[in-house]
Amino acid sequence: MSGADIFHLLLIFLGISFLISMLLFLRFTIRRLDKKVKKEGSGTPSWDRGGMGLRVGVYSVVLVRGKKGSSPIPDEDIILRCARPIDRVLAFTVDLSLLGMFILWLAGKWLGYF
């Protein structure tokens, strides 16, 4: 098995991991957090009213960080307060698999495997 084959297998594994974790994160975490945010009165963030889904990445980063940062996200307190441990695990899996895919892709390009 060559180095390129190993890179391709790792990318496939990380891609499948990303797709599954993103699906679970969207279905269980984002759906529940959106309901909690609307219940608190904030609604969908103004910067994501077009339905582009930018809040998914932001919610994921907030959950992985685990504490309030200096970002201007008004719903950050609600997200952190309403998050379950499984939400943090799913967010970590989404972020880690996406970062891993990106790093492997860059390394593969640099080594000439792609």
Side-chain angles (χ1 to χ4, degrees):
M1 187 173 262
S2 69
D5 293 337
I6 293 172
F7 264 80
H8 288 123
L9 287 175
L10 284 173
L11 273 175
I12 289 169
F13 172 75
L14 286 173
I16 291 170
S17 155
F18 174 73
L19 291 174
I20 291 171
S21 61
M22 182 59 93
L23 177 68
L24 294 173
F25 187 65
L26 288 170
R27 297 288 285 168
F28 297 119
T29 302
I30 297 297
R31 184 178 282 182
R32 195 176 64 75
L33 286 177
D34 279 344
K35 287 179 185 175
K36 295 282 186 180
V37 168
K38 286 178 184 173
K39 190 183 215 183
E40 298 272 338
S42 292
T44 306
S46 61
W47 43 267
D48 195 29
R49 293 216 195 273
M52 292 178 57
L54 297 174
R55 71 186 182 287
V56 174
V58 172
Y59 286 6
S60 177
V61 170
V62 168
L63 289 173
V64 169
R65 190 175 55 222
K67 61 182 178 179
K68 187 167 170 58
S70 60
S71 62
I73 303 168
D75 304 331
E76 198 168 349
D77 292 330
I78 301 168
I79 295 166
L80 291 172
R81 187 179 51 222
C82 297
R84 303 170 295 188
I86 190 68
D87 297 335
R88 294 176 194 269
V89 170
L90 286 173
F92 182 74
T93 307
V94 167
D95 288 352
L96 185 66
S97 58
L98 184 62
L99 181 65
M101 280 192 319
F102 183 69
I103 290 172
L104 272 179
W105 179 77
L106 284 177
K109 281 293 218 185
W110 183 67
L111 292 172
Y113 290 144
F114 303 111

